[in-house]
Amino acid sequence: MMRVWRSLDQWTERRRAIGGQDAGFVPTMGALHRGHASLVERCRAENQVAVASIFVNPSQFNDPRDLDRYPRTLDRDLALLERLGVDDVLVPAAHELYPNGYRFRIEAGCLTSVMEGAHRPGFLQGVMTIVMKLLHLAGARRAYFGEKDFQQLQAIREMAGDFFIPTEIVACPTVRAASGLAESSRNALLSDTAREKAALIFHALTTAATAAEASATLAAEGFTVDYVEDHWDRRFAAATLGGVRLIDNVPLNPHPQPLSPTPI
Ligand code: PAF
């Protein structure tokens, strides 16, 4: 039976009881979808104890309207986690995680100057700060993050390294709908027509020769493009459609052509 922890004091006692068993951890902001399910399934398969958290973290929203309209589906999320075999879920209130307000903060260094860091002031700082708190609370051997939020994943990997956090950061591939649209909690805010059109982000990223060409294609299709940029051998995009801001990224040259066999 899955246990739900709202009090961090009670969770700390339970964490002591878990002791040296391998714990895996999947932090989320709820509104769970197939992407989250894939993280949880891997966490379940690789660890003795599977722990998840659901917390809509206010410090990572630079726009209060975005925080207000972020989808909240707690009962459905808990039912899904239980079906997936999770042992423990942390659902703390904001005053538990920020007992003295938003006092100490983790800076993401030079990552703050590009993409999500540049377009959403305070976003990476908010994510790094809450992830640091959650990693300490979970005390997990492994924590699972999706490649859909690749810049976030990269920042978390680097932060965990720089702060000697003994949790392995495990990257999991983006889960997509048949149309190519990356699974995201924000997709729930799209109309049916917008959801169909949103798949153009993936198509532009995978078919355009350059980032500039992908950006122009999306703009011509009615997206408001924040950026299309290449970093870490991947192509990234952030664009708004029907008032909903979506991000995605794909590896560049994911299927390198094998070299032609050397003629004898
Ligand atoms: O990716 C998310 O859902 C959030 O940014 C995270 C990592 C749970 C931190 O709030």
Side-chain angles (χ1 to χ4, degrees):
M1 171 103 163
M2 185 174 83
R3 302 168 170 94
V4 178
W5 303 100
R6 291 192 160 78
S7 145
L8 291 184
D9 283 346
Q10 287 173 8
W11 160 251
T12 306
E13 262 178 50
R14 158 73 180 145
R15 182 65 195 84
R16 262 190 227 115
I18 292 171
Q21 296 179 79
D22 267 7
F25 179 47
V26 182
T28 80
M29 297 205 299
L32 303 183
H33 49 68
R34 290 190 309 130
H36 294 112
S38 75
L39 306 183
V40 172
E41 279 162 1
R42 182 149 173 207
C43 172
R44 178 65 287 168
E46 294 181 350
N47 300 281
Q48 289 166 290
V49 180
V51 182
S53 66
I54 299 177
F55 177 65
V56 183
N57 174 36
S59 71
Q60 70 190 74
F61 287 82
N62 58 316
D63 176 354
R65 279 168 308 174
D66 194 23
L67 172 61
D68 281 350
R69 71 198 286 241
Y70 197 83
R72 287 162 173 87
T73 54
L74 184 61
D75 292 345
R76 226 192 56 195
D77 294 345
L78 290 175
L80 175 66
L81 293 175
E82 180 142 43
R83 273 204 308 283
L84 293 172
V86 166
D87 298 297
D88 295 273
V89 191
L90 279 61
V91 189
H95 67 84
E96 289 260 6
L97 282 167
Y98 293 96
N100 296 298
Y102 192 25
R103 199 164 53 143
F104 295 106
R105 305 168 186 208
I106 309 283
E107 283 294 348
C110 59
L111 284 169
T112 309
S113 60
V114 292
M115 301 194 294
E116 294 306 284
H119 286 266
R120 297 172 67 192
F123 164 70
L124 281 178
Q125 191 186 51
V127 172
M128 293 306 104
T129 304
I130 195 66
V131 168
M132 169 77 98
K133 287 170 186 264
L134 291 169
L135 289 178
H136 279 305
L137 286 164
R141 162 109 193 260
R142 306 180 185 87
Y144 297 80
F145 295 87
E147 288 185 337
K148 189 201 147 252
D149 297 297
F150 195 91
Q151 187 182 11
Q152 162 181 289
L153 163 69
Q154 188 67 14
I156 291 167
R157 267 202 280 238
E158 292 180 15
M159 175 187 74
D162 283 9
F163 285 99
F164 311 106
I165 295 176
T167 301
E168 181 194 342
I169 305 299
V170 182
C172 303
T174 303
V175 174
R176 299 183 180 279
S179 66
L181 175 65
E183 290 284 354
S184 162
S185 303
R186 288 193 162 81
N187 294 353
L189 304 171
L190 293 166
S191 66
D192 288 349
T193 326
R195 190 170 306 120
E196 240 172 69
K197 196 167 185 185
L200 286 173
I201 298 179
F202 174 69
H203 290 286
L205 286 177
T206 46
T207 57
T210 62
E213 185 186 316
S215 177
T217 305
L218 291 173
E221 291 288 347
F223 290 79
T224 306
V225 181
D226 274 356
Y227 59 80
V228 180
E229 288 176 25
D230 296 345
H231 301 274
W232 301 297
D233 242 351
R234 302 181 84 90
R235 181 158 294 157
F236 294 79
T240 300
L241 182 69
V244 182
R245 187 174 183 279
L246 301 166
I247 62 169
D248 199 355
N249 71 90
V250 299
L252 288 170
N253 307 315
H255 307 296
Q257 293 302 310
L259 295 173
S260 339
T262 314
I264 301 176

